[in-house]
Amino acid sequence: MRRFSQNWQTGHLRMMFHNVTRRREWFTENASPRQYANLLLAAAEFGLKHEVMRAWPVLAKVDISPLCNLSCTYCVHARSVEPSNPILQSQSFHGHQRMPLEQFARIVDELAGKTLAVSLYYLGDPLVHPDLARMCQIVADSGLNSHISSNFSFNLSDARLESLVRSGLTHLTVCVDAMRQESYERTRVGGRLHVVLHNLERLLSIRRELGQVYPKVEVQYIKFQHNVDQLEEAARWCNERGVDRFTDYWGNLHNYTDLQPGNYQVFGPKANKPLPQCAWPHFALQIKYNGDVIPCCYYRHGDQYRDGADSRAIGNVFDTSVWEVWNDDPYQQLRRLVSNPTRATTHTALAETFCTGCPTIYQTNAEEHRRIADVHHWEERYQRDEHNRVVRH
């Protein structure tokens, strides 16, 4: 039990450190003294285990739409890949699930001058939102950095690519997980690699023609045993075309829902330590397209858009404001829990929060359900059916 929990927490901390390091420019570029002061205040309040914050979120993730054009094997959109999975089958996505532009502008206006960066995605692809470029412009006009991550497998016109380059978007991550379609589509189900590469090449060309530095482009290459042989070719292709950063790491062969609460054993909260055991409640928050707020983007994925599920939202910024949700009682409870998980044994309310059962702060055997591609193969979990579709064993 202890070994599994330690492996999970080590892996989680390593992933968080990796993400902060690779995207450090979100927090170091274009920042004002006031924004840096807010970052330092948040760090101090984290170290002191404050439950009521004077600092604003350092990072705000805003899910402008949960819709996506692909059915990647790891994601909640993988329903066609895992037809026997009831959690995936009950996911509910509809065309109206897009954040209104005016609500987005109100959120950004509240964060302006304090928060360092706004990230415009969660479980969907931000390119499905028709107002994406305008949203990036709103963020830029507020003096904040912005980031989107996209599979880029869309039929994008030169005009739309140019609007994105001119929008003030500061950081763009494009997912390129192979240089051969057969390898790419094993996990990026429904994706078209030639479209991705063509879009990326044109965007870089437009940025160069306009003489702009932004958006800085990162290519993310998720490694699997079936595509690792193409890694050097992909890195070379990106370097030749002016990609700013090339990042590779091992992917997951399990699905988000394999780590859904109830699918693994929880043995109890972890022991108290000098620092809180999760940084999210003190530094960042996730706002969904409908204004609901959840504390992070790493847990309870399967319940956020499932019919009849308990998403455990801790407030709604459309009904109140970011600041009110950030310091309301549910958020204070989360900070109390991550600061000392053992409190869940004596405080019933803390044992019923969004974070309950999370392997970051609880002893679990969730590690048994993870399948990392450095030691596991795609064929262990997936195959192609008689229609050449990717399905899980």
Side-chain angles (χ1 to χ4, degrees), residues 266-272 337 340-345 361-363:
V266 178
F267 304 108
K270 293 182 179 179
N272 187 25
L337 178 61
N340 182 359
T342 63
R343 290 172 174 155
T345 61
I361 58 175
Y362 280 78
Q363 300 281 357

Side-chain angles (χ1 to χ4, degrees), residues 157-172:
S157 66
D158 286 347
R160 186 160 193 213
L161 288 171
E162 182 173 340
S163 72
L164 200 59
V165 173
R166 291 184 180 274
S167 68
L169 173 69
T170 58
H171 298 87
L172 165 66

